[in-house]
Amino acid sequence: MANGRVVQTADRTIGSRQLAALLPAEVLARPGYRSLAEAVRTLILDGRIALHVRLPAERELAEAVGASRATVTGAYDLLRESGYVRSRRGSGTWTELPEGHRPVGAHALVGAGGYSADGEPGIDLAIAAMGAPDGALADALAWAAPRLPDAARSPGYHPFGLPDLRTAVADRFTRRGLPTRPEQILVTSGAQQAFTLVVSLLCRAGDRVVTENPTYANALDALRHARLRTGSIAVSDTGWDMEIAESTLRQTVPRLAYAIPDFHNPTGALMPEEQRLRLLAATRRTGTWLVVDETIADIALDVPAPAPLASLAPRGGADHVVTIGSLSKTHWGGLRVGWIRATAKMITELTALRVSADMTGSVLDQLVALPLLDGMDRTLPARLDQLRERRAALVDALQRHTPEWSWRIPPGGLSLWVDLGEPVSSALAERAAAAGVHIGRGARFGVDPGTFEHRLRLPYTLPADRLDEGVRRLAAAFHDGVPLPPSVDRPHWVA
């Protein structure tokens, strides 16, 4: 472990210095046993400390954080009582989750059948995705059905993806201004698999990588799982500070940089062309692979859809750029179809790696994806109109129920990056869950621990009435004592 952020070591142990480096500054400044327990619990829930990892001995952690041993003993006792750690005599203290809890990224979808403590139907304000467009999926299935018997006569293994779908994806890149051949496309089971494959091919444990901060939470999880050292480039409501970005790249010379320049997740910012050119040039100078996430690039609400970032490079100057995308945001997350666009040589290497994991993707899903992709230019405008209406509904609900919060309306994307004015998003998330509302608290999107506690990501992907009800419940939870920060000496989370 080189920088103290990655904790999934070979022997499944986190050292005392590693754990201390993950703790928020306010905990280290005034370590109390409840605040220390709360901080460790948050790290477990966020995935920053993996499950089934051995924590440092009490005396070692006390020295690392500048606390008494009694403070650490009290914190471990609270964590044991609430089910977040277990201890075995002679073996140490190990992380786990209480009964009924799920790991990060595998939470119960509240809006799909969950209920509040009072029996009210649940509302999911964490998933930034919509249901399938009306009729589109049925039409695509009707198109695919008569073609399935011909496909079924083959063994069904297409590790690169169906040839027709690879061609369709390549043609769409070409129409958007980035000439692409089918051999430069690998079809994947969604954009998350695409990103994981790229990271697995290009990086080794301990390599330096750079991401925006905040950034897509599941991408951060993938980087932590790969045991990479993560640096960051700040993205604010007003966008990227490219001077700092260039300095960070120059000083750290990372193996890989991950960027979401198109309606950035979670801020919604759109990177200007001049900054795109600078990012291309900076990563090329440092020999850094630039992974561009285009998953939300088509969700352009107030501006024209941007051209692929790699299209701005001079001829032959984008070989270090890898572009990933999917149909999850434009069509449906349940249709697991994504892609990688890179050099033909890299696509061959990525395919060899992919075969070792899942052999091939679903032929049926790819057949269904073909008419959806081919007809996107005809069907997407109605989708965008619906999102504009829902964005307006969310803004209206926030103005009525939580006028003290602030936000910027993004030119595209699927969510608002809301500023609560106080570092209480984790506490609010717990109270909101009791009210049947699941939210994306800001800390999930931060590279460093304890950051963005004053932020929430709120998608505008639900119908207007559900958005209004969800915000109403959030407001009630917020105004009902939530502004007490987690460091306050009270066990509000202890089972």
Side-chain angles (χ1 to χ4, degrees), residues 86-357:
R86 56 182 170 79
S87 297
R88 296 199 303 263
R89 185 179 297 275
S91 180
T93 300
W94 298 73
T95 60
E96 63 178 13
L97 285 179
E99 186 71 26
H101 285 62
R102 291 172 171 79
V104 168
H107 65 276
L109 298 180
V110 178
Y115 291 88
S116 72
D118 297 327
E120 294 293 323
I123 300 173
D124 198 316
L125 291 178
I127 301 297
M130 301 176 72
D134 291 343
L137 199 58
D139 292 344
L141 282 166
W143 183 92
R147 292 164 174 80
L148 187 58
D150 285 343
R153 294 189 183 97
S154 74
Y157 293 99
H158 299 276
F160 287 92
L162 287 182
D164 287 350
L165 184 55
R166 296 179 76 197
T167 298
V169 174
D171 288 348
R172 183 163 180 79
F173 272 112
T174 300
R175 290 196 301 273
R176 295 175 57 221
L178 180 60
T180 303
R181 304 185 308 276
E183 56 263 35
Q184 292 179 269
I185 299 297
L186 170 62
V187 178
T188 61
S189 298
Q192 185 68 16
Q193 186 192 53
F195 181 64
T196 302
L197 284 172
V198 171
V199 169
S200 298
L201 177 68
L202 298 180
C203 301
R204 297 292 178 267
D207 282 351
R208 293 183 182 274
V209 298
V210 165
T211 76
E212 296 146 331
N213 190 32
T215 191
Y216 179 49
N218 289 332
L220 286 174
D221 290 340
L223 296 175
R224 293 179 187 122
H225 183 75
R227 307 201 299 276
L228 302 175
R229 295 183 290 164
T230 308
S232 62
I233 299 169
V235 181
S236 67
D237 288 328
T238 56
W240 293 255
D241 187 325
M242 197 50 60
E243 289 187 6
I244 292 179
E246 290 169 329
S247 175
T248 299
L249 289 166
R250 185 172 58 252
Q251 293 176 16
T252 62
V253 192
R255 175 70 173 165
L256 179 149
Y258 171 70
I260 313 173
D262 308 313
F263 316 120
H264 174 262
N265 185 0
T267 68
L270 178 63
M271 183 182 287
E273 181 174 317
E274 180 267 339
Q275 292 188 354
R276 293 169 184 247
L277 290 169
R278 291 174 67 176
L279 181 61
L280 278 168
T283 50
R284 189 165 184 81
R285 282 195 301 270
T286 57
T288 299
W289 290 100
L290 176 58
V291 181
V292 177
D293 188 338
E294 283 196 343
T295 308
I296 317 178
D298 289 304
I299 311 298
L301 303 180
D302 300 330
V303 295
L309 186 146
S311 68
L312 299 177
R315 186 176 180 85
D319 286 353
H320 69 298
V321 181
V322 180
T323 305
I324 62 177
S326 79
L327 291 177
S328 295
K329 306 304 183 183
T330 55
H331 290 81
W332 188 40
L335 191 68
R336 302 309 300 153
V337 173
W339 51 80
I340 302 171
R341 193 264 183 204
T343 64
K345 179 178 182 294
M346 178 175 285
I347 290 299
T348 300
E349 295 171 350
L350 286 165
T351 303
L353 181 63
R354 185 256 182 88
V355 167
S356 68

Side-chain angles (χ1 to χ4, degrees), residues 123-125 386-403 405 407-410 413-418 439 456-472 474:
I123 300 173
D124 198 316
L125 291 178
Q386 186 179 46
L387 280 168
R388 291 185 191 100
E389 293 173 359
R390 294 182 177 186
R391 182 182 62 181
L394 177 58
V395 169
D396 177 68
L398 289 169
Q399 288 173 338
R400 286 186 289 108
H401 297 300
T402 56
W405 295 356
W407 59 88
R408 286 176 179 262
I409 298 178
L414 297 162
S415 56
L416 301 181
W417 187 230
V418 177
I439 56 177
L456 290 180
R457 190 192 70 169
L458 292 181
Y460 38 82
T461 50
L462 295 178
D465 61 332
R466 302 300 285 159
L467 290 172
D468 185 74
E469 175 62 15
V471 173
R472 186 191 68 78
L474 270 182

Side-chain angles (χ1 to χ4, degrees), residues 472-484:
R472 186 191 68 78
R473 296 189 199 178
L474 270 182
F478 180 80
H479 295 132
D480 187 22
V482 167
L484 287 173

